[in-house]
Amino acid sequence: MTAYELPGEPGTGSGPAQRPDPAAYDAVVLAGGAARRLGGADKPGVRVGGRALLDRVLAACAGARSSVVVAAPRPTARPVTWAHEDPPGGGPVAALDAGLRHTTAEHVVVLSADLPFLEEHTVDRLLSTLRASGADGVLLTDPEGRDQPLVAAYDALRLREALALLTDRHDRLAGLPLRRLVAELNLTRISDPVASFDCDTWDDIATARARIREHGHVLDEWISAVKDELGIDLDVDTRLLLDLARDAAHGVARPAAPLTTFLVGYAAARAGGSPEAVAEAARKAAALAVRWAEESTTEAQPSGARSRSTPAHGDVAPDATPDTRPDAG
């Protein structure tokens, strides 16, 4: 899903003026480069956990007011604005400048497109630290303590000023290393060896693919991949759904688990598709599974195991009341 519209310039709207949201931010993702250590492969399109690396990064900055990708246009799971550096292949500083020109928020998150383990909470941490510190930017460091300026949040005004200074000093930004830009900024650093992991080689890709299939990660990774593939942006209580599937499988039959969860999803969608709708549909189905299992237990008991005058809990609807009519028998 790709959007090609450029964001409007501040102050050009015809409606009443709105105060900027201090929590709003824009994202710039650099997805160009030759990927020489990958043999020239299309690195942003390499899949880890069934999702392109670029889509994984875009998911991490899903809270951005707008996301700008500096690269040739391609299909993406989320709407983006496309930009390109001039001249093409001018390097990360020129690409950052090109992407920044399409942003208007006070704060901007700058990311490379090869971060398989970056998550939204890390982006939130960068932004909250930036707002609290008063620094020009906050960036991650890797396990060796090296700066990762393409996993960072910046004050957009200071970033523009630093880029303008470099342009005046060197006449052009093309070919400049990122360390020149970093040297002009007052930065705060956060250590995060997982989120800062990037994929420069095929060994890195193999490491990333192996990690997400570990027991502690595979389920969350799979759910994220399915939501991206289906275009669903919904947070649900997966434990609730797993408990429902377990109850349906044990109390009814094993094939009841996937069929029941499908029907819960369908019912929730008809009810508006909110997390609350999912939870309510799951609650109803779980209660039904419990009643079904209780009936099965009751049927398995010998006929004399309970009093004929005392029906089992599963034999009476939860809201049933005695029939007091004179002719009730």
Side-chain angles (χ1 to χ4, degrees), residues 172-196:
R172 55 186 296 177
L173 297 175
L176 290 182
L178 275 170
R179 66 175 180 273
R180 298 281 182 88
L181 178 62
V182 170
E184 302 297 333
L185 299 169
N186 172 30
L187 299 174
T188 296
R189 291 159 174 84
I190 296 174
S191 176
D192 192 329
V194 176
S196 63

Side-chain angles (χ1 to χ4, degrees), residues 25 27 56-57 59-64 108-112 115-131 137-142 148 150-154 188-197 211 221:
Y25 74 96
R56 297 180 71 91
V57 172
C61 54
V108 59
V109 172
V110 177
L111 304 167
S112 61
L115 302 165
F117 305 132
L118 183 69
E119 296 184 355
E120 199 164 1
H121 69 81
T122 303
V123 172
D124 291 341
R125 183 185 177 201
L126 287 168
L127 288 163
S128 61
T129 303
L130 174 63
R131 292 170 183 133
V138 179
L139 52 76
L140 295 190
T141 58
D142 68 12
Q148 300 295 311
L150 297 185
V151 198
Y154 296 97
T188 296
R189 291 159 174 84
I190 296 174
S191 176
D192 192 329
V194 176
S196 63
F197 181 89
R211 183 181 187 275
E221 287 286 349

Side-chain angles (χ1 to χ4, degrees), residues 29-288:
V29 181
L30 307 190
R36 293 184 180 87
R37 285 192 280 176
L38 288 177
D42 175 27
K43 182 161 68 169
V46 172
R47 296 186 179 275
V48 173
R51 291 190 290 165
L53 283 171
L54 175 56
D55 283 335
R56 297 180 71 91
V57 172
L58 290 173
C61 54
R65 188 176 63 183
S66 66
S67 296
V68 183
V69 179
V70 186
R74 67 174 67 218
T76 54
R78 295 175 182 272
V80 303
T81 296
W82 297 100
H84 59 86
E85 71 272 30
D86 186 20
V93 177
L96 173 53
D97 179 67
L100 195 62
R101 293 175 185 274
H102 297 292
T103 67
T104 56
E106 178 182 356
H107 299 127
V108 59
V109 172
V110 177
L111 304 167
S112 61
D114 60 352
L115 302 165
F117 305 132
L118 183 69
E119 296 184 355
E120 199 164 1
H121 69 81
T122 303
V123 172
D124 291 341
R125 183 185 177 201
L126 287 168
L127 288 163
S128 61
T129 303
L130 174 63
R131 292 170 183 133
S133 68
D136 298 336
V138 179
L139 52 76
L140 295 190
T141 58
D142 68 12
E144 285 73 41
R146 292 173 297 204
D147 287 349
Q148 300 295 311
L150 297 185
V151 198
Y154 296 97
D155 180 291
L157 177 60
R158 282 293 300 122
L159 193 56
R160 289 188 177 92
E161 291 174 346
L163 288 166
L165 181 64
L166 290 177
T167 302
D168 291 342
R169 187 179 298 163
H170 300 280
D171 294 327
R172 55 186 296 177
L173 297 175
L176 290 182
L178 275 170
R179 66 175 180 273
R180 298 281 182 88
L181 178 62
V182 170
E184 302 297 333
L185 299 169
N186 172 30
L187 299 174
T188 296
R189 291 159 174 84
I190 296 174
S191 176
D192 192 329
V194 176
S196 63
F197 181 89
D198 57 1
C199 293
D200 290 326
T201 67
W202 286 113
D203 284 343
D204 294 335
I205 297 291
T207 297
R209 287 172 171 170
R211 183 181 187 275
I212 65 170
R213 283 169 170 77
E214 294 173 359
H215 177 71
H217 306 284
V218 66
L219 185 58
D220 287 341
E221 287 286 349
W222 170 248
I223 295 299
S224 296
V226 171
K227 289 196 294 186
D228 260 13
E229 191 72 16
L230 300 180
I232 299 172
D233 191 8
L234 177 69
D235 289 326
V236 297
D237 187 344
T238 54
R239 184 178 297 276
L240 180 67
L241 295 177
L242 289 172
D243 287 347
L244 167 62
R246 177 203 61 206
D247 293 342
H250 291 175
V252 184
R254 290 183 64 86
L259 292 172
T260 304
T261 52
F262 165 78
L263 292 172
V264 163
Y266 182 75
R270 293 190 64 184
S274 67
E276 293 76 18
V278 175
E280 177 63 11
R283 183 195 65 78
K284 290 181 177 180
L288 175 61

